[in-house]
Amino acid sequence: MTEFSPYGGWLGTVAIDGVLQIGEVRSEGTSRCLGDPDRIRPTGDTTPLINPDHPITLAVMGLAPLQVPPDVSEAVAEILRNQISGAKNVVLVERQRLEDLKRELGIQYSDLADPATAVRLGRAAGARKMIFGSLSRLGTTYTITVRMVDVETGTIDGFRGVECLECREEDLPAAAAALKEPLVGFGR
């Protein structure tokens, strides 16, 4: 499957092996491949954290920015939400609902590191699982690291991550897309 972005600046294709390739289309006829599997790779286990056989409500929080601008971190979190939204049997809590609940409950992002606080927010939102994490940059390497927390027990189900080597901000959508399979499986 191959598609152009709405404004024609990007071309996306999924290869036979399931690898997402995103290319920048330039008027001079050259392109730079984004999502190169040699540059975007998992940082650990890739077994899906959840593979629901019945609907499960999931809340995806923002990503803490570490050496990146906060708006870039939030944009990557939004891309991750969009990737997960198509997963079979996964119902996402609306981001604005989470923000409203955080405000009502007086919760700051830094408070979410405490599992009890995360559980309180998740329960208020009606979620069974919550995803938290960070987007970090060291030199030209960006890393997206997330953890999934079970709202009922407050335990961490696991961590998943990807790193993007020799990465630019424009490469981050492909890096976020690479997290879908380790979180909720692929093509579900």
Side-chain angles (χ1 to χ4, degrees):
M1 177 174 83
T2 302
E3 291 190 24
F4 279 98
S5 65
Y7 303 107
W10 300 94
L11 173 70
T13 186
V14 177
I16 293 173
D17 60 3
V19 174
L20 172 67
Q21 299 258 323
I22 300 174
E24 180 180 5
V25 179
R26 298 184 183 168
S27 61
E28 65 268 13
T30 63
S31 66
R32 186 172 75 82
C33 182
L34 304 177
D36 180 345
D38 293 332
R39 292 188 314 108
I40 297 175
R41 59 184 184 207
T43 59
D45 190 357
T46 59
T47 306
L49 281 173
I50 59 172
N51 189 1
D53 54 1
H54 58 281
I56 185 169
T57 303
L58 178 67
V60 180
M61 303 304 298
L63 299 174
L66 305 173
Q67 299 299 317
V68 297
D71 60 329
V72 172
S73 184
E74 188 52 46
V76 172
E78 187 64 21
I79 292 166
L80 184 58
R81 282 183 202 97
N82 290 337
Q83 288 294 321
I84 293 172
S85 70
K88 180 181 176 188
N89 286 328
V90 174
V91 177
L92 286 181
V93 176
E94 174 61 38
R95 181 180 62 85
Q96 189 57 53
R97 169 109 171 99
L98 290 171
E99 294 302 319
D100 292 346
L101 284 170
K102 279 177 28 185
R103 205 170 17 261
E104 282 177 31
L105 299 171
I107 297 173
Q108 301 295 318
Y109 187 85
S110 59
D111 299 332
L112 295 174
D114 171 36
T117 303
V119 167
R120 193 175 84 190
L121 177 61
R123 284 185 181 148
R128 287 198 36 222
K129 305 279 185 182
M130 294 185 76
I131 294 176
F132 305 91
S134 63
L135 172 63
S136 61
R137 180 177 56 89
L138 291 171
T140 60
T141 299
Y142 284 80
T143 304
I144 305 169
T145 306
V146 297
R147 68 186 185 278
M148 187 175 294
V149 176
D150 184 293
V151 171
E152 294 173 17
T153 64
T155 59
I156 297 174
D157 291 342
F159 293 85
R160 296 295 183 267
V162 294
E163 64 182 4
C164 181
L165 308 171
E166 298 178 31
C167 195
R168 299 184 325 171
E169 287 181 2
E170 292 83 1
D171 299 318
L172 292 173
L179 264 178
K180 179 180 180 179
E181 184 173 1
L183 290 173
V184 297
F186 191 73
R188 299 194 196 312

